[in-house]
mmCIF file of all heavy atoms in Angstrom:
data_model
loop_
_atom_site.group_PDB
_atom_site.id
_atom_site.type_symbol
_atom_site.label_atom_id
_atom_site.label_comp_id
_atom_site.label_asym_id
_atom_site.label_seq_id
_atom_site.Cartn_x
_atom_site.Cartn_y
_atom_site.Cartn_z
ATOM 1 N N GLY A 82 -9.710 13.477 -3.651
ATOM 2 C CA GLY A 82 -10.280 12.991 -4.899
ATOM 3 C C GLY A 82 -9.502 13.314 -6.161
ATOM 4 O O GLY A 82 -10.030 13.252 -7.249
ATOM 5 N N ARG A 83 -8.253 13.688 -6.038
ATOM 6 C CA ARG A 83 -7.465 13.886 -7.254
ATOM 7 C C ARG A 83 -6.066 13.355 -7.023
ATOM 8 O O ARG A 83 -5.644 13.168 -5.883
ATOM 9 C CB ARG A 83 -7.426 15.350 -7.663
ATOM 10 C CG ARG A 83 -6.706 16.223 -6.704
ATOM 11 C CD ARG A 83 -7.067 17.682 -6.929
ATOM 12 N NE ARG A 83 -6.621 18.455 -5.783
ATOM 13 C CZ ARG A 83 -5.407 18.952 -5.664
ATOM 14 N NH1 ARG A 83 -4.527 18.780 -6.635
ATOM 15 N NH2 ARG A 83 -5.048 19.615 -4.597
ATOM 16 N N LEU A 84 -5.359 13.116 -8.109
ATOM 17 C CA LEU A 84 -4.076 12.448 -8.002
ATOM 18 C C LEU A 84 -3.011 13.265 -8.722
ATOM 19 O O LEU A 84 -3.139 13.570 -9.896
ATOM 20 C CB LEU A 84 -4.182 11.072 -8.649
ATOM 21 C CG LEU A 84 -3.040 10.129 -8.348
ATOM 22 C CD1 LEU A 84 -3.345 9.297 -7.122
ATOM 23 C CD2 LEU A 84 -2.789 9.224 -9.533
ATOM 24 N N ASN A 85 -1.964 13.629 -8.009
ATOM 25 C CA ASN A 85 -0.814 14.283 -8.637
ATOM 26 C C ASN A 85 0.372 13.336 -8.556
ATOM 27 O O ASN A 85 0.595 12.738 -7.505
ATOM 28 C CB ASN A 85 -0.450 15.572 -7.900
ATOM 29 C CG ASN A 85 -1.580 16.569 -7.933
ATOM 30 O OD1 ASN A 85 -2.152 16.836 -8.984
ATOM 31 N ND2 ASN A 85 -1.926 17.106 -6.772
ATOM 32 N N ILE A 86 1.139 13.240 -9.653
ATOM 33 C CA ILE A 86 2.359 12.442 -9.605
ATOM 34 C C ILE A 86 3.501 13.333 -9.130
ATOM 35 O O ILE A 86 3.898 14.266 -9.818
ATOM 36 C CB ILE A 86 2.659 11.808 -10.978
ATOM 37 C CG1 ILE A 86 1.545 10.804 -11.287
ATOM 38 C CG2 ILE A 86 4.036 11.126 -10.971
ATOM 39 C CD1 ILE A 86 1.720 10.043 -12.561
ATOM 40 N N LEU A 87 3.989 13.061 -7.935
ATOM 41 C CA LEU A 87 5.041 13.882 -7.328
ATOM 42 C C LEU A 87 6.424 13.303 -7.610
ATOM 43 O O LEU A 87 7.410 14.022 -7.637
ATOM 44 C CB LEU A 87 4.820 13.983 -5.816
ATOM 45 C CG LEU A 87 3.444 14.513 -5.383
ATOM 46 C CD1 LEU A 87 3.313 14.503 -3.870
ATOM 47 C CD2 LEU A 87 3.204 15.911 -5.931
ATOM 48 N N LEU A 88 6.477 11.970 -7.759
ATOM 49 C CA LEU A 88 7.728 11.301 -8.156
ATOM 50 C C LEU A 88 7.341 10.237 -9.163
ATOM 51 O O LEU A 88 6.560 9.328 -8.847
ATOM 52 C CB LEU A 88 8.416 10.664 -6.937
ATOM 53 C CG LEU A 88 9.647 9.805 -7.246
ATOM 54 C CD1 LEU A 88 10.792 10.652 -7.779
ATOM 55 C CD2 LEU A 88 10.100 9.055 -5.992
ATOM 56 N N ASP A 89 7.868 10.359 -10.377
ATOM 57 C CA ASP A 89 7.455 9.471 -11.472
ATOM 58 C C ASP A 89 8.423 8.292 -11.600
ATOM 59 O O ASP A 89 9.519 8.323 -11.042
ATOM 60 C CB ASP A 89 7.437 10.284 -12.779
ATOM 61 C CG ASP A 89 6.513 9.664 -13.817
ATOM 62 O OD1 ASP A 89 6.049 8.528 -13.616
ATOM 63 O OD2 ASP A 89 6.273 10.330 -14.837
ATOM 64 N N LEU A 90 7.992 7.269 -12.306
ATOM 65 C CA LEU A 90 8.869 6.143 -12.612
ATOM 66 C C LEU A 90 9.502 6.419 -13.971
ATOM 67 O O LEU A 90 8.791 6.501 -14.979
ATOM 68 C CB LEU A 90 8.057 4.844 -12.660
ATOM 69 C CG LEU A 90 8.848 3.571 -12.984
ATOM 70 C CD1 LEU A 90 9.795 3.224 -11.839
ATOM 71 C CD2 LEU A 90 7.896 2.410 -13.251
ATOM 72 N N ALA A 91 10.809 6.604 -13.990
ATOM 73 C CA ALA A 91 11.497 6.917 -15.245
ATOM 74 C C ALA A 91 12.494 5.813 -15.540
ATOM 75 O O ALA A 91 13.559 5.760 -14.939
ATOM 76 C CB ALA A 91 12.208 8.259 -15.134
ATOM 77 N N ARG A 92 12.111 4.869 -16.427
ATOM 78 C CA ARG A 92 13.005 3.757 -16.747
ATOM 79 C C ARG A 92 13.032 3.547 -18.243
ATOM 80 O O ARG A 92 12.012 3.673 -18.915
ATOM 81 C CB ARG A 92 12.521 2.482 -16.046
ATOM 82 C CG ARG A 92 12.530 2.633 -14.534
ATOM 83 C CD ARG A 92 12.342 1.341 -13.842
ATOM 84 N NE ARG A 92 13.185 0.289 -14.341
ATOM 85 C CZ ARG A 92 13.921 -0.507 -13.575
ATOM 86 N NH1 ARG A 92 13.926 -0.336 -12.272
ATOM 87 N NH2 ARG A 92 14.628 -1.470 -14.104
ATOM 88 N N PRO A 93 14.193 3.193 -18.783
ATOM 89 C CA PRO A 93 14.308 2.973 -20.216
ATOM 90 C C PRO A 93 13.803 1.587 -20.642
ATOM 91 O O PRO A 93 13.675 1.318 -21.825
ATOM 92 C CB PRO A 93 15.819 3.087 -20.460
ATOM 93 C CG PRO A 93 16.435 2.656 -19.172
ATOM 94 C CD PRO A 93 15.479 3.018 -18.079
ATOM 95 N N ASP A 94 13.531 0.706 -19.651
ATOM 96 C CA ASP A 94 13.254 -0.701 -19.954
ATOM 97 C C ASP A 94 11.816 -1.089 -19.619
ATOM 98 O O ASP A 94 11.549 -2.207 -19.180
ATOM 99 C CB ASP A 94 14.231 -1.599 -19.185
ATOM 100 C CG ASP A 94 14.215 -1.320 -17.672
ATOM 101 O OD1 ASP A 94 13.595 -0.318 -17.249
ATOM 102 O OD2 ASP A 94 14.816 -2.101 -16.921
ATOM 103 N N MET A 95 10.858 -0.171 -19.853
ATOM 104 C CA MET A 95 9.461 -0.428 -19.454
ATOM 105 C C MET A 95 8.918 -1.744 -20.017
ATOM 106 O O MET A 95 8.238 -2.489 -19.321
ATOM 107 C CB MET A 95 8.555 0.725 -19.898
ATOM 108 C CG MET A 95 8.672 1.992 -19.073
ATOM 109 S SD MET A 95 8.338 1.806 -17.306
ATOM 110 C CE MET A 95 6.595 1.465 -17.270
ATOM 111 N N SER A 96 9.225 -2.047 -21.284
ATOM 112 C CA SER A 96 8.633 -3.232 -21.916
ATOM 113 C C SER A 96 9.203 -4.536 -21.358
ATOM 114 O O SER A 96 8.706 -5.620 -21.652
ATOM 115 C CB SER A 96 8.825 -3.173 -23.425
ATOM 116 O OG SER A 96 10.205 -3.230 -23.712
ATOM 117 N N GLU A 97 10.270 -4.422 -20.548
ATOM 118 C CA GLU A 97 10.882 -5.606 -19.934
ATOM 119 C C GLU A 97 10.334 -5.866 -18.532
ATOM 120 O O GLU A 97 10.750 -6.822 -17.870
ATOM 121 C CB GLU A 97 12.402 -5.406 -19.813
ATOM 122 C CG GLU A 97 13.132 -5.352 -21.143
ATOM 123 C CD GLU A 97 12.941 -6.655 -21.897
ATOM 124 O OE1 GLU A 97 13.234 -7.718 -21.335
ATOM 125 O OE2 GLU A 97 12.469 -6.586 -23.052
ATOM 126 N N LEU A 98 9.421 -4.993 -18.068
ATOM 127 C CA LEU A 98 9.047 -5.030 -16.653
ATOM 128 C C LEU A 98 7.702 -5.686 -16.382
ATOM 129 O O LEU A 98 6.689 -5.346 -17.006
ATOM 130 C CB LEU A 98 8.997 -3.611 -16.081
ATOM 131 C CG LEU A 98 10.302 -2.804 -16.095
ATOM 132 C CD1 LEU A 98 10.050 -1.411 -15.525
ATOM 133 C CD2 LEU A 98 11.398 -3.519 -15.322
ATOM 134 N N ASP A 99 7.705 -6.639 -15.436
ATOM 135 C CA ASP A 99 6.483 -7.110 -14.795
ATOM 136 C C ASP A 99 6.384 -6.342 -13.481
ATOM 137 O O ASP A 99 7.129 -6.621 -12.537
ATOM 138 C CB ASP A 99 6.551 -8.613 -14.502
ATOM 139 C CG ASP A 99 6.323 -9.452 -15.753
ATOM 140 O OD1 ASP A 99 5.568 -9.003 -16.640
ATOM 141 O OD2 ASP A 99 6.901 -10.553 -15.830
ATOM 142 N N ILE A 100 5.479 -5.364 -13.440
ATOM 143 C CA ILE A 100 5.402 -4.490 -12.265
ATOM 144 C C ILE A 100 4.369 -5.008 -11.267
ATOM 145 O O ILE A 100 3.264 -5.394 -11.652
ATOM 146 C CB ILE A 100 5.032 -3.050 -12.682
ATOM 147 C CG1 ILE A 100 6.113 -2.478 -13.615
ATOM 148 C CG2 ILE A 100 4.848 -2.145 -11.457
ATOM 149 C CD1 ILE A 100 5.810 -1.082 -14.142
ATOM 150 N N VAL A 101 4.753 -5.043 -10.000
ATOM 151 C CA VAL A 101 3.779 -5.242 -8.927
ATOM 152 C C VAL A 101 3.777 -3.957 -8.097
ATOM 153 O O VAL A 101 4.777 -3.626 -7.450
ATOM 154 C CB VAL A 101 4.107 -6.455 -8.033
ATOM 155 C CG1 VAL A 101 3.129 -6.526 -6.854
ATOM 156 C CG2 VAL A 101 4.039 -7.753 -8.840
ATOM 157 N N ILE A 102 2.678 -3.225 -8.172
ATOM 158 C CA ILE A 102 2.545 -2.006 -7.370
ATOM 159 C C ILE A 102 2.252 -2.422 -5.935
ATOM 160 O O ILE A 102 1.353 -3.235 -5.685
ATOM 161 C CB ILE A 102 1.401 -1.112 -7.891
ATOM 162 C CG1 ILE A 102 1.579 -0.772 -9.369
ATOM 163 C CG2 ILE A 102 1.313 0.170 -7.056
ATOM 164 C CD1 ILE A 102 0.401 0.010 -9.969
ATOM 165 N N VAL A 103 3.033 -1.895 -4.998
ATOM 166 C CA VAL A 103 2.860 -2.250 -3.591
ATOM 167 C C VAL A 103 2.201 -1.068 -2.873
ATOM 168 O O VAL A 103 2.761 0.021 -2.802
ATOM 169 C CB VAL A 103 4.214 -2.595 -2.938
ATOM 170 C CG1 VAL A 103 4.044 -2.891 -1.458
ATOM 171 C CG2 VAL A 103 4.849 -3.775 -3.665
ATOM 172 N N GLU A 104 0.995 -1.320 -2.364
ATOM 173 C CA GLU A 104 0.203 -0.253 -1.744
ATOM 174 C C GLU A 104 -0.126 -0.636 -0.306
ATOM 175 O O GLU A 104 -0.240 -1.816 0.024
ATOM 176 C CB GLU A 104 -1.061 -0.041 -2.594
ATOM 177 C CG GLU A 104 -2.008 1.042 -2.160
ATOM 178 C CD GLU A 104 -1.456 2.462 -2.147
ATOM 179 O OE1 GLU A 104 -0.437 2.680 -1.472
ATOM 180 O OE2 GLU A 104 -2.065 3.346 -2.782
ATOM 181 N N ASP A 105 -0.258 0.362 0.537
ATOM 182 C CA ASP A 105 -0.592 0.102 1.944
ATOM 183 C C ASP A 105 -2.061 -0.246 2.124
ATOM 184 O O ASP A 105 -2.412 -1.179 2.826
ATOM 185 C CB ASP A 105 -0.201 1.294 2.837
ATOM 186 C CG ASP A 105 -0.687 2.637 2.285
ATOM 187 O OD1 ASP A 105 -1.374 2.664 1.242
ATOM 188 O OD2 ASP A 105 -0.376 3.670 2.899
ATOM 189 N N ILE A 106 -2.933 0.553 1.469
ATOM 190 C CA ILE A 106 -4.369 0.371 1.691
ATOM 191 C C ILE A 106 -5.134 0.899 0.480
ATOM 192 O O ILE A 106 -4.699 1.853 -0.161
ATOM 193 C CB ILE A 106 -4.799 1.111 2.991
ATOM 194 C CG1 ILE A 106 -6.232 0.758 3.401
ATOM 195 C CG2 ILE A 106 -4.614 2.615 2.881
ATOM 196 C CD1 ILE A 106 -6.567 1.150 4.841
ATOM 197 N N ILE A 107 -6.245 0.261 0.147
ATOM 198 C CA ILE A 107 -7.111 0.747 -0.929
ATOM 199 C C ILE A 107 -8.423 1.217 -0.318
ATOM 200 O O ILE A 107 -9.049 0.497 0.464
ATOM 201 C CB ILE A 107 -7.388 -0.336 -1.988
ATOM 202 C CG1 ILE A 107 -6.066 -0.892 -2.532
ATOM 203 C CG2 ILE A 107 -8.217 0.253 -3.129
ATOM 204 C CD1 ILE A 107 -6.261 -2.018 -3.535
ATOM 205 N N ASP A 108 -8.799 2.416 -0.712
ATOM 206 C CA ASP A 108 -9.999 3.043 -0.160
ATOM 207 C C ASP A 108 -10.978 3.256 -1.324
ATOM 208 O O ASP A 108 -11.707 2.322 -1.684
ATOM 209 C CB ASP A 108 -9.537 4.352 0.510
ATOM 210 C CG ASP A 108 -10.619 5.077 1.253
ATOM 211 O OD1 ASP A 108 -10.850 4.742 2.415
ATOM 212 O OD2 ASP A 108 -11.221 5.991 0.671
ATOM 213 N N SER A 109 -10.963 4.420 -1.951
ATOM 214 C CA SER A 109 -11.859 4.665 -3.094
ATOM 215 C C SER A 109 -11.480 3.806 -4.305
ATOM 216 O O SER A 109 -12.305 3.536 -5.164
ATOM 217 C CB SER A 109 -11.818 6.141 -3.489
ATOM 218 O OG SER A 109 -10.577 6.445 -4.088
ATOM 219 N N GLY A 110 -10.197 3.414 -4.384
ATOM 220 C CA GLY A 110 -9.707 2.667 -5.548
ATOM 221 C C GLY A 110 -9.127 3.562 -6.622
ATOM 222 O O GLY A 110 -8.556 3.083 -7.603
ATOM 223 N N LYS A 111 -9.243 4.894 -6.424
ATOM 224 C CA LYS A 111 -8.817 5.827 -7.480
ATOM 225 C C LYS A 111 -7.305 5.790 -7.725
ATOM 226 O O LYS A 111 -6.866 5.823 -8.864
ATOM 227 C CB LYS A 111 -9.236 7.251 -7.112
ATOM 228 C CG LYS A 111 -10.730 7.486 -7.238
ATOM 229 C CD LYS A 111 -11.075 8.907 -6.833
ATOM 230 C CE LYS A 111 -12.576 9.124 -6.866
ATOM 231 N NZ LYS A 111 -12.940 10.393 -6.219
ATOM 232 N N THR A 112 -6.534 5.736 -6.649
ATOM 233 C CA THR A 112 -5.078 5.769 -6.804
ATOM 234 C C THR A 112 -4.600 4.599 -7.662
ATOM 235 O O THR A 112 -3.896 4.786 -8.661
ATOM 236 C CB THR A 112 -4.376 5.704 -5.422
ATOM 237 O OG1 THR A 112 -4.861 6.770 -4.612
ATOM 238 C CG2 THR A 112 -2.869 5.805 -5.559
ATOM 239 N N LEU A 113 -4.996 3.384 -7.283
ATOM 240 C CA LEU A 113 -4.472 2.223 -7.995
ATOM 241 C C LEU A 113 -5.071 2.065 -9.387
ATOM 242 O O LEU A 113 -4.360 1.662 -10.312
ATOM 243 C CB LEU A 113 -4.660 0.945 -7.176
ATOM 244 C CG LEU A 113 -3.605 0.760 -6.081
ATOM 245 C CD1 LEU A 113 -3.746 -0.603 -5.433
ATOM 246 C CD2 LEU A 113 -2.194 0.931 -6.626
ATOM 247 N N SER A 114 -6.352 2.368 -9.560
ATOM 248 C CA SER A 114 -6.902 2.194 -10.910
ATOM 249 C C SER A 114 -6.222 3.175 -11.864
ATOM 250 O O SER A 114 -5.925 2.831 -13.006
ATOM 251 C CB SER A 114 -8.422 2.327 -10.936
ATOM 252 O OG SER A 114 -8.805 3.611 -10.567
ATOM 253 N N TYR A 115 -5.917 4.370 -11.381
ATOM 254 C CA TYR A 115 -5.198 5.341 -12.207
ATOM 255 C C TYR A 115 -3.781 4.847 -12.501
ATOM 256 O O TYR A 115 -3.329 4.861 -13.653
ATOM 257 C CB TYR A 115 -5.144 6.700 -11.498
ATOM 258 C CG TYR A 115 -4.390 7.744 -12.272
ATOM 259 C CD1 TYR A 115 -5.045 8.564 -13.194
ATOM 260 C CD2 TYR A 115 -3.012 7.901 -12.120
ATOM 261 C CE1 TYR A 115 -4.347 9.512 -13.923
ATOM 262 C CE2 TYR A 115 -2.308 8.849 -12.846
ATOM 263 C CZ TYR A 115 -2.978 9.651 -13.745
ATOM 264 O OH TYR A 115 -2.280 10.579 -14.470
ATOM 265 N N LEU A 116 -3.068 4.407 -11.466
ATOM 266 C CA LEU A 116 -1.671 4.017 -11.642
ATOM 267 C C LEU A 116 -1.508 2.808 -12.562
ATOM 268 O O LEU A 116 -0.559 2.740 -13.347
ATOM 269 C CB LEU A 116 -1.023 3.721 -10.287
ATOM 270 C CG LEU A 116 -0.572 4.945 -9.494
ATOM 271 C CD1 LEU A 116 0.007 4.521 -8.147
ATOM 272 C CD2 LEU A 116 0.470 5.748 -10.281
#
Side-chain angles (χ1 to χ4, degrees):
R83 66 198 166 86
L84 193 91
N85 299 312
I86 294 183
L87 304 177
L88 173 67
D89 203 349
L90 180 68
R92 298 192 48 131
D94 55 350
M95 285 302 291
S96 64
E97 293 299 306
L98 298 178
D99 283 329
I100 299 177
V101 175
I102 305 175
V103 177
E104 182 62 304
D105 49 3
I106 190 165
I107 305 177
D108 186 85
S109 71
K111 287 179 184 168
T112 304
L113 280 187
S114 64
Y115 179 90
L116 280 178

